[in-house]
Structures are given as C-alpha cells and as structure tokens.
Amino acid sequence: MTDRFVDISLDKRGVRCTAKLLDDLAPITCSAVWDALPLGGDVYHAKYARNEIYALFPAFADAEPPLENPTVTPIPGDLCYFSFAGTQLATGSHGYSADHVRQDRPTIVDLALFYERNNLLLNGDQGWVPGIVWGAVVEGLDRMADACQDLWRAGAVGETLSFRRD
C-alpha cells in the first residue's frame, strides 16, 4: 500500500502539520478515519492527558475499530483515536456542550493530537483510557506545538481542529 498522509490544522491560527497514517499498525482505524475525511470541529485542550488537543465527532465508522496499536503513554506527534459512550463525557468536570453528550448519540469519537511528551491517559472519572495510535506527525510538529501552547494559554474559543487528506 502507498503511504497516506493527513493534514491537521488549527484553522483560526493558520497552523498545520502533516501526519503519516500507520496503516501497518492500525489498518482498521486508519481506513475508518480516511474514509470519513475531511473532519473538523471545535478544538479542546486536554485537562487530564496533558499535552493534547482534540475534536469530538459523531461516530463515523460502520463498527468501532478494535483496540489496535494501543497506548496510554502517547508521544509527541501521535494521533490517537478514542471512542466514548455519550454518557461517559456527561460529567460536569468535562465541560462539553449538551450536543456532545446527548443520550441519543451512543458513540462519540475523539481524534487527538499529542504535541509534547509526558502524557498519561489516566482520567479521574474513567481510569485508564487507552487510545489507538493511527498516525504520526512527520512535518510541522514544532509550529503546531507552539500553537497548541497558545491555545492552552489564550483559549480555544472559536478555534477549529481539522483533519483532511493531504
């Protein structure tokens, strides 16, 4: 198979990076994401995992991918896929809008970018939260990390995280 790449951007800040899909390690997840592109949504900065930005989407795969190429310690440049039951994110500590935690939406997909080291996927409400590593940033991580730090300090309101085929 030919290598496939995804463009990840913080649209308002005009910053982007490029990631290679890890088709050899997470083929089912890569296919599900690739087939769903383009995707974009409000960006969030992690509270628990540390150096992570992500967007939430309604489930888009025919069936949720199995836990292939899992981690609880993502490294800089990892793209991770998480799926949650809508009610898992419904606690006040998460702070999501009612649109993200609707009872009629059984699965929510979280596509995340880890931009710095020392991440640990341990959530006070949920415990260990393993993610599927489906991509690795190969270009532009330094610029993206700077923008993520700005997002952490200045706020995420009005910013969109987008994933597109490169």
Side-chain angles (χ1 to χ4, degrees):
M1 176 180 269
T2 304
D3 289 342
R4 298 188 289 179
F5 296 89
V6 174
D7 179 79
I8 302 110
S9 61
L10 288 170
D11 299 325
K12 182 177 166 185
R13 285 172 170 79
V15 178
R16 62 174 288 281
C17 61
T18 302
K20 178 181 180 246
L21 271 65
L22 301 178
D23 285 300
D24 55 334
L25 300 173
I28 297 168
T29 306
C30 288
S31 291
V33 172
W34 186 258
D35 291 346
L37 296 178
L39 293 166
D42 292 341
V43 67
Y44 296 91
H45 195 287
K47 287 182 176 184
Y48 301 106
R50 197 161 173 159
N51 301 300
E52 170 196 8
I53 61 169
Y54 60 96
L56 301 173
F57 304 99
F60 47 77
D62 292 333
E64 283 305 300
L67 192 57
E68 53 185 359
N69 198 31
T71 190
V72 292
T73 55
I75 61 172
D78 276 353
L79 296 181
C80 286
Y81 179 109
F82 304 90
S83 64
F84 299 100
T87 56
Q88 284 180 285
L89 301 179
T91 65
S93 65
H94 288 91
Y96 300 118
S97 69
D99 184 53
H100 287 112
V101 295
R102 293 184 354 214
Q103 298 294 331
D104 64 333
R105 183 176 293 153
T107 304
I108 297 168
V109 172
D110 168 336
L111 294 183
L113 165 66
F114 290 84
Y115 63 88
E116 186 53 77
R117 47 180 286 191
N118 295 325
N119 303 294
L120 185 61
L121 301 179
L122 180 60
N123 178 298
D125 296 329
Q126 305 292 326
W128 293 106
V129 183
I132 300 169
V133 182
W134 60 275
V137 174
V138 294
E139 179 185 320
L141 184 59
D142 290 345
R143 292 184 308 276
M144 182 61 78
D146 289 344
C148 292
Q149 282 294 325
D150 180 63
L151 189 138
W152 172 250
R153 293 180 46 98
V157 174
E159 182 62 88
T160 301
L161 178 62
S162 296
F163 299 83
R164 297 175 187 88
R165 293 180 185 188
D166 189 50

